[in-house]
Amino acid sequence: MTGEESLRPQSLMLTFLGDQVLGRDVCVYSGSVIDVFARAGIGEQATRSTLTRMVGRDLLRRQREGRRMYFGLTERSEAVLRDGERRIWQDGAVNRHWDGTWTLLGFSLPESWQRQRHDLRSQLTWSGFGPLFNGLWIAPGEVDVSALVAELGLSAHVKVFRAHADTGTDIGQMIEETWELSELAGSYEGFVRRWQPWEDDLPEADEALVLRLRLQTEWLRIVRRDPRLPVKHLPDDWPAEQAEKTFRAVHDRLSPLARDASERLLDLVPARPQP
């Protein structure tokens, strides 16, 4: 697989856990995970190492039942999955309800702090910000970055404001200069090309489970990159709305078959309280 379809095992794992474990207070058998991931073209060794790494990063916890090892969520992974759930099903890909508010974040770091500057920029991009100027970043709406800045240890070097653009400001032009719109549009267009055929085709149940896993993982990756810019200031042919319609239509089509497959393939047990 290439392009947007080349998805990391950990991203697929988080989607799988969000689908099958989140909100159910259960743990899933490692063998079930290996079986499903094998159907997605991911080998047993890669799946086992992904599970081990996620335990090490406090994204999974182990629970032994006899000779079998099961995996459940931690507080950290639950927070990550709830955020993904919100971005997909509540926020959506099209921002029609922007009230004109911008969050501005200014920072000034010593020249030698290259790593800190890189980490801050990466986290700001993840949170929907774009570089208005070198040390001044901007995001639509009210974005709370206090925890992000504190975690990086940069609170003393960062100032955050809420603002509205002056009447004469060309917001559309500012957006084009600040964010890579063509790259983001290309992601949405590629998604539609790949997934629209599945609005009419119906796969086998086991394949539907894997397809829905890939569908949601790819869609979340795109919407996480999208700063959700106000749609009235985007190009008229902005492809996010069509892509979201495709996502929802294919998800609805695959879900009954995927549920049948998961009930047949997955060994789940109740999660015991952590000591």
Side-chain angles (χ1 to χ4, degrees):
M1 294 230 167
T2 58
E4 292 290 342
E5 294 178 283
S6 180
L7 301 168
R8 292 167 56 231
Q10 181 172 301
S11 300
L12 286 167
M13 188 73 73
L14 285 167
T15 301
F16 174 79
L17 294 166
D19 257 359
Q20 308 297 339
V21 178
L22 183 65
R24 298 176 66 184
D25 206 22
V26 295
C27 295
V28 60
Y29 172 45
S30 60
S32 298
V33 182
I34 289 165
D35 184 14
V36 171
F37 276 53
R39 296 164 195 267
I42 297 170
E44 179 175 344
Q45 191 54 48
T47 302
R48 287 191 185 279
S49 63
T50 300
L51 290 168
T52 301
R53 279 198 308 273
M54 290 176 72
V55 169
R57 296 182 60 202
D58 190 34
L59 289 168
L60 283 177
R61 65 181 184 87
R62 293 187 177 98
Q63 178 173 309
R64 185 174 289 282
E65 300 284 343
R67 303 177 100 181
R68 292 190 160 193
M69 187 63 74
Y70 292 74
F71 290 86
L73 300 180
T74 63
E75 282 187 17
R76 186 179 178 201
S77 56
E78 188 159 333
V80 170
L81 293 173
R82 292 289 181 203
D83 174 69
E85 193 175 56
R86 175 182 58 77
R87 287 181 188 242
I88 289 176
W89 301 111
Q90 293 175 31
D91 294 349
V94 183
N95 184 356
R96 296 185 183 85
H97 307 296
W98 181 61
D99 65 357
T101 303
W102 295 93
T103 298
L104 273 68
L105 182 144
F107 62 90
S108 180
L109 305 180
E111 276 300 315
S112 59
W113 286 19
Q114 291 183 8
R115 181 183 59 79
Q116 291 92 331
R117 187 177 287 104
H118 174 269
D119 290 348
L120 178 59
R121 286 171 173 163
S122 296
Q123 290 293 327
L124 289 176
T125 300
W126 176 258
S127 300
F129 283 80
L132 189 62
F133 299 110
N134 191 28
L136 183 64
W137 287 55
I138 188 169
E142 296 194 12
V143 184
D144 183 2
V145 291
S146 53
L148 176 161
V149 172
E151 191 175 328
L152 293 172
L154 297 176
S155 298
H157 301 270
V158 169
K159 300 290 185 288
V160 181
F161 304 89
R162 306 274 185 256
H164 284 73
D166 195 67
T167 309
T169 303
D170 186 335
I171 294 175
Q173 183 181 347
M174 182 191 76
I175 285 173
E176 284 189 22
E177 292 170 352
T178 306
W179 284 274
E180 293 286 345
L181 292 187
S182 60
E183 187 178 318
L184 187 56
S187 295
Y188 282 124
E189 289 160 357
F191 182 89
V192 172
R193 280 196 305 274
R194 278 187 293 282
W195 290 102
Q196 208 165 37
W198 290 104
E199 290 187 40
D200 301 313
D201 289 352
L202 207 56
E204 297 292 320
D206 292 3
E207 188 187 0
L209 178 60
V210 170
L211 280 170
R212 193 177 67 161
L213 193 59
R214 289 194 173 280
L215 173 80
Q216 287 184 237
T217 305
E218 186 180 331
W219 181 246
L220 181 58
R221 183 162 78 171
I222 295 172
V223 297
R224 277 197 192 281
R225 290 176 181 169
D226 188 341
R228 298 191 75 250
L229 297 160
V231 70
K232 68 180 181 180
H233 294 294
L234 290 170
D236 291 339
D237 58 350
W238 188 244
E241 185 167 11
Q242 178 57 56
E244 187 163 56
K245 284 179 181 173
T246 296
F247 166 75
R248 288 178 179 264
V250 176
H251 187 276
D252 287 349
R253 191 160 177 78
L254 295 176
S255 284
L257 289 170
R259 277 194 295 270
D260 290 347
S262 61
E263 286 173 14
R264 196 165 21 83
L265 296 173
L266 302 186
D267 175 7
L268 304 171
V269 296
R272 294 196 302 268
Q274 286 285 82

